[in-house]
Amino acid sequence: MVRVSTAKTTVLTLAALAVWCFFLWRALDVFKPGANSAIFFNSDCAIPVLMSNDDRPVTIFNLYYYGVDRIGGWPFLFGQIVHRSTGYRWSDRSLSAMQTSWIFIGALVIAGLSRKDRVAVAVAFLLTLCLHGETSYQIFTLSVPYGWQTTALLLSWYSLRHLFDAEPSKSFQSRRTAWFFLAFWFSYLAIWGSVASIPFLLFLLCLEVGRAHLKNLTHWRASLLRLFTTGLIPIAAATLAERLQKINYYRHSIKHYGFDFRTRFELDVGHLGENLKAQVDNVIRLRWWPFHLLATLSALTVVCILAYALFRKRNELQGKLKAMFTDDTVILIAGTYGIALINFVLTVLVRHVRANSYEDRYLILTSLFGPISALLILYSIFNISVRRSPVRKFAQSFLLVAALILLWVKFPLKSYRPAYQGFKETALLLAQKSPNKILLGDYWGTYVLAALQPVDPLTPIPLDEQQNRMPWTRDMVRQADQVIVEYRRSRLAEAGQPPLRLSSYGTSLRLVEPRWLESAGFAFALYVRDD
């Protein structure tokens, strides 16, 4: 009987992994940058590709997305390690494949947080991740940190769970130490990816402390303070490590580039009401807004019932609530909704969200974790309704298969993106005609071309009045004998012709070949340094 049960478990596990691999394969194809893709590719997306292929000595400036301290650069440092040790040159597609695979690992991690419902949890994650496209699937683009942050955050949660579950006996001491270190490491990666991870991690810690206390685990018969402190140490250490790292980043940037590239996180006092209305409108605008409403109403209902039980001293009701919150799926529902809610609150409180016109990307974590919570609520209600039914297991299997069929049928389709095709063709022409040269132009037409070149890439440098993500390149303009200038899209043209003289980064440049190359709306001219 044991062998039959083990064989059945093995077969089901392999089947689940096969399904996961199938949808990962679909995602790798649909969400890869290209002329036919569900996502866009621009200069912001190009920076990680350039970072991963950078041949300059690694400095503290590489720790974050070039020119911005808000996005952690640890995935691209890994890319540099591969590039330097093997000579492999990352393309936009290969780096995107690494990111997509990392995001999909999050489905396996979150499934491990609920053993009895792990398949349902993974399906809920994949359904929301792949079908909720109203943020333009930006979680799969290379220009935002949320894909890297999400899986690191889930791995931190998973490590905290096992840290509390591990027995403190001598034979398990090394295992507890390992989970303690992993909780620190993944918290560090999550915080390094985005400092917004700190409130998420503190909330998840409180949730896990409450779970351990309610489960009355024999090895944690201690005060809540001791439980909290045990989990707080790795999170606090990760926060401190990232903060010290960022201080050194500021010092290095000021010393070498004269600017700290600090992102100012400021409370938007005086506009909180306006921000709340705008973000509520953004959520209501989503087609999946009923899921957010369901999760919110469920949370409010539980809070009201708990308050009633405590106020009226209804011990029986309190016992039922305690039993409910020892269920790992319920903990998952609370955790995912908490992340969604905290992220929503942050978008209301922080000034730069309003400064960027309440862009959809700031609600990506809310749009991901809110519906996951709602789907798990619906699944739990379904389980309760068929609990005493003789066809319970059949009904559960049927529901999961139906969900997978829905995911397969409704999986996103590619869209034709002519801009990418033009970028790619132009990048290849530039690489063939003038490898390893300097390219001056506007922000959106320089980095993207360099990232799409397979070999001998140009050095992209935006014009001096535009944002330069690679500040060391300013000196390269002053030292160059020849410079290629894109003048049409950069609005430098005078009556359709490039200017005869151009000054950039304190260097005077003289036109020598006005129609050096034209392609896909780009127009390039060749300039020399005018000594």
Side-chain angles (χ1 to χ4, degrees), residues 72-304:
W74 61 265
F76 321 124
L77 284 174
F78 171 78
Q80 277 201 37
I81 292 173
V82 174
H83 172 67
R84 292 169 186 270
S85 59
T86 67
Y88 176 75
R89 180 168 180 81
W90 293 91
S91 67
D92 55 325
R93 292 188 174 185
S94 60
L95 191 62
S96 174
M98 183 173 75
Q99 178 180 262
T100 300
S101 300
W102 177 254
I103 295 171
F104 264 66
I105 289 173
L108 302 179
V109 177
I110 195 172
L113 290 168
S114 179
R115 293 185 179 180
K116 71 181 181 68
D117 294 323
R118 62 179 64 185
V119 175
V121 172
V123 171
F125 184 91
L126 293 178
L127 275 172
T128 308
L129 177 69
C130 299
L131 299 189
H132 194 350
E134 288 171 297
T135 53
S136 301
Y137 302 108
Q138 288 189 66
I139 194 171
F140 290 102
T141 66
L142 293 171
S143 60
V144 298
Y146 305 111
W148 305 107
Q149 178 191 10
T150 294
T151 300
L153 192 64
L154 292 173
L155 284 166
S156 305
W157 188 1
Y158 188 85
S159 300
L160 287 172
R161 168 70 56 84
H162 284 269
L163 173 64
F164 287 128
D165 281 355
E167 295 278 353
S169 61
K170 186 176 181 179
S171 60
F172 284 88
Q173 191 61 41
S174 59
R175 186 177 299 178
R176 285 189 62 209
T177 302
W179 285 118
F180 188 90
F181 173 77
L182 289 173
F184 160 76
W185 177 247
F186 290 121
S187 296
Y188 174 52
L189 293 183
I191 296 169
W192 185 355
S194 172
V195 293
S197 299
I198 297 175
F200 301 147
L201 290 168
L202 292 176
F203 167 74
L204 295 175
L205 170 61
C206 293
L207 200 62
E208 288 302 311
V209 167
R211 172 184 174 273
H213 179 72
L214 291 176
K215 276 183 168 291
N216 197 25
L217 300 177
T218 56
H219 54 279
W220 282 116
R221 288 189 177 178
S223 65
L224 287 173
L225 180 60
R226 181 187 167 193
L227 283 169
F228 183 79
T229 303
T230 300
L232 180 63
I233 291 174
I235 295 175
T239 303
L240 178 61
E242 194 276 339
R243 184 58 190 168
L244 293 175
Q245 172 180 293
K246 192 164 282 184
I247 290 172
N248 284 330
Y249 169 83
Y250 296 148
R251 290 174 178 171
H252 177 89
S253 299
I254 291 174
K255 178 180 178 180
H256 292 275
Y257 309 122
F259 188 72
D260 61 8
F261 299 101
R262 184 194 301 264
T263 300
R264 271 66 181 179
F265 287 97
E266 301 174 356
L267 291 179
D268 204 12
V269 179
H271 295 274
L272 298 182
E274 174 187 347
N275 295 347
L276 178 61
K277 182 181 182 303
Q279 294 298 61
V280 169
D281 288 343
N282 282 339
V283 172
I284 293 175
R285 179 176 52 83
L286 303 175
R287 286 178 297 175
W288 286 44
W289 68 266
F291 288 105
H292 294 279
L293 179 62
L294 171 63
T296 300
L297 291 177
S298 299
L300 290 174
T301 300
V302 171
V303 169
C304 291

Side-chain angles (χ1 to χ4, degrees), residues 163-457:
L163 173 64
F164 287 128
D165 281 355
E167 295 278 353
S169 61
K170 186 176 181 179
S171 60
F172 284 88
Q173 191 61 41
S174 59
R175 186 177 299 178
R176 285 189 62 209
T177 302
W179 285 118
F180 188 90
F181 173 77
L182 289 173
F184 160 76
W185 177 247
F186 290 121
S187 296
Y188 174 52
L189 293 183
I191 296 169
W192 185 355
S194 172
V195 293
S197 299
I198 297 175
F200 301 147
L201 290 168
L202 292 176
F203 167 74
L204 295 175
L205 170 61
C206 293
L207 200 62
E208 288 302 311
V209 167
R211 172 184 174 273
H213 179 72
L214 291 176
K215 276 183 168 291
N216 197 25
L217 300 177
T218 56
H219 54 279
W220 282 116
R221 288 189 177 178
S223 65
L224 287 173
L225 180 60
R226 181 187 167 193
L227 283 169
F228 183 79
T229 303
T230 300
L232 180 63
I233 291 174
I235 295 175
T239 303
L240 178 61
E242 194 276 339
R243 184 58 190 168
L244 293 175
Q245 172 180 293
K246 192 164 282 184
I247 290 172
N248 284 330
Y249 169 83
Y250 296 148
R251 290 174 178 171
H252 177 89
S253 299
I254 291 174
K255 178 180 178 180
H256 292 275
Y257 309 122
F259 188 72
D260 61 8
F261 299 101
R262 184 194 301 264
T263 300
R264 271 66 181 179
F265 287 97
E266 301 174 356
L267 291 179
D268 204 12
V269 179
H271 295 274
L272 298 182
E274 174 187 347
N275 295 347
L276 178 61
K277 182 181 182 303
Q279 294 298 61
V280 169
D281 288 343
N282 282 339
V283 172
I284 293 175
R285 179 176 52 83
L286 303 175
R287 286 178 297 175
W288 286 44
W289 68 266
F291 288 105
H292 294 279
L293 179 62
L294 171 63
T296 300
L297 291 177
S298 299
L300 290 174
T301 300
V302 171
V303 169
C304 291
I305 294 173
L306 178 60
Y308 172 79
L310 293 174
F311 182 74
R312 293 289 188 177
K313 298 182 179 180
R314 298 296 179 88
N315 295 331
E316 182 180 352
L317 184 56
Q318 291 181 35
K320 291 181 179 180
L321 289 172
K322 177 180 177 179
M324 183 177 72
F325 276 97
T326 58
D327 182 87
D328 287 344
T329 302
V330 174
I331 294 293
L332 256 178
I333 291 170
T336 50
Y337 178 74
I339 293 172
L341 180 61
I342 292 170
N343 184 73
F344 179 85
V345 171
L346 289 176
T347 66
V348 172
L349 295 178
V350 180
R351 186 180 70 84
H352 76 260
V353 176
R354 178 173 59 86
N356 286 278
S357 304
Y358 308 104
E359 292 180 8
D360 288 343
R361 59 191 170 100
Y362 295 111
L363 285 174
I364 285 176
L365 294 183
T366 299
S367 297
L368 175 64
F369 286 103
I372 290 174
S373 179
L375 288 173
L376 292 179
I377 290 171
L378 292 174
Y379 181 76
S380 298
I381 293 173
F382 173 80
N383 275 344
I384 293 173
S385 65
V386 300
R387 181 171 49 191
R388 297 181 179 179
S389 171
V391 295
R392 176 187 176 186
K393 291 186 177 180
F394 172 80
Q396 289 176 332
S397 300
F398 177 81
L399 180 65
L400 293 174
V401 170
L404 290 173
I405 292 174
L406 175 67
L407 179 59
W408 175 50
V409 172
K410 292 294 186 178
F411 205 89
L413 300 175
K414 301 176 184 179
S415 299
Y416 179 61
R417 298 185 180 276
Y420 181 94
Q421 187 66 27
F423 291 150
K424 189 69 174 179
E425 292 173 357
T426 304
L428 293 176
L429 289 173
L430 286 170
Q432 294 169 3
K433 187 168 184 178
S434 188
N436 295 317
K437 295 294 185 180
I438 288 177
L439 173 63
L440 267 178
D442 77 324
Y443 177 89
W444 299 107
T446 51
Y447 293 123
V448 66
L449 294 177
L452 292 174
Q453 293 182 306
V455 292
D456 299 326

